[in-house]
Amino acid sequence: MQEPKIVEVDDRTLIAARMPMSLLENRTRELWQGFRSRVTEIENRVGSDFFSIQHYPDNFNMANFRPDTVFEKLAGIEVEKRILIPNGMESYTLVGGKYAVFTHHGPAAEAAKTFQHIYGVWMPKSSYEPDSRDQFEILGPDYRPDDPKAKEQVWIPIKSYL
């Protein structure tokens, strides 16, 4: 796996749908089917990429993550400004800062390998540690989770060791 690109970005405003889940009770497909079927209701879109966000509880430590850990997943799209928020969706601020950006190649079902590399190999060898902001993926407009040639950007919030 290639080295990540380290980037600093500003806050982003999204319109998103959210759903609680765990890896054992994974409702990702349900979340995305509902969101994608209604994306045309969202005004002032910026680009055509989709954001898949994992929002963990405050003071969450990735080392304690287990298959039954409950978190919230959001499906969203970036907007210029919030004018009209479709029913059942919300405005969400994706907090900017420093991120390590990786590229996952392959179907979503194989993403665990990428995350194992990030947290088990790259992070311990780097001069960074995870930050408490949201981890997210950017998916192109034609992204299909079952495509063996799929690509997604994996954005890991980081901070330098103190």
Side-chain angles (χ1 to χ4, degrees), residues 116-133:
Q116 287 169 350
H117 172 79
I118 293 168
Y119 289 104
V121 177
W122 179 80
M123 190 77 66
K125 292 180 180 179
S126 77
S127 59
Y128 300 103
E129 61 186 352
D131 199 358
S132 60
R133 293 169 286 124

Side-chain angles (χ1 to χ4, degrees), residues 42-160:
I42 300 170
E43 298 177 355
N44 300 310
R45 293 190 303 262
V46 174
S48 55
D49 289 336
F50 292 95
F51 289 72
S52 179
I53 304 158
Q54 289 70 235
H55 181 76
Y56 299 104
D58 290 341
N59 300 320
F60 177 76
N61 182 339
M62 189 55 78
N64 299 330
F65 188 84
R66 299 180 354 190
D68 63 345
T69 300
V70 176
F71 59 94
E72 291 183 303
K73 184 171 273 196
L74 292 90
I77 196 159
E78 188 173 8
V79 294
E80 283 183 36
K81 55 186 173 181
R82 303 170 277 246
I83 294 180
L84 176 66
I85 300 172
N87 189 30
M89 294 186 195
E90 66 184 80
S91 174
Y92 190 80
T93 299
L94 193 55
V95 178
K98 189 177 285 189
Y99 287 86
V101 182
F102 296 83
T103 301
H104 169 70
H105 297 271
E110 295 177 7
K113 294 176 190 175
T114 298
F115 288 102
Q116 287 169 350
H117 172 79
I118 293 168
Y119 289 104
V121 177
W122 179 80
M123 190 77 66
K125 292 180 180 179
S126 77
S127 59
Y128 300 103
E129 61 186 352
D131 199 358
S132 60
R133 293 169 286 124
D134 292 332
Q135 169 188 304
F136 64 95
E137 293 81 47
I138 296 181
L139 316 169
D142 298 323
Y143 176 81
R144 287 188 20 242
D146 60 343
D147 184 353
K149 295 182 181 179
K151 289 192 331 189
E152 59 187 87
Q153 290 181 355
V154 177
W155 291 62
I156 305 296
I158 56 173
K159 60 184 177 182
S160 297

Side-chain angles (χ1 to χ4, degrees), residues 1-70:
M1 175 170 279
Q2 85 284 0
E3 285 295 305
K5 182 171 33 168
I6 306 299
V7 298
E8 187 96 23
V9 295
D10 294 331
D11 290 359
R12 292 176 168 174
T13 301
L14 308 177
I15 298 298
R18 90 170 50 215
M19 190 174 284
M21 65 183 72
S22 68
L23 294 181
L24 288 179
E25 293 186 34
N26 191 336
R27 300 173 65 197
T28 301
R29 178 177 292 223
E30 178 185 349
L31 172 66
W32 278 101
Q33 283 177 339
F35 182 77
R36 297 271 311 234
S37 70
R38 299 185 57 212
V39 76
T40 57
E41 298 174 38
I42 300 170
E43 298 177 355
N44 300 310
R45 293 190 303 262
V46 174
S48 55
D49 289 336
F50 292 95
F51 289 72
S52 179
I53 304 158
Q54 289 70 235
H55 181 76
Y56 299 104
D58 290 341
N59 300 320
F60 177 76
N61 182 339
M62 189 55 78
N64 299 330
F65 188 84
R66 299 180 354 190
D68 63 345
T69 300
V70 176

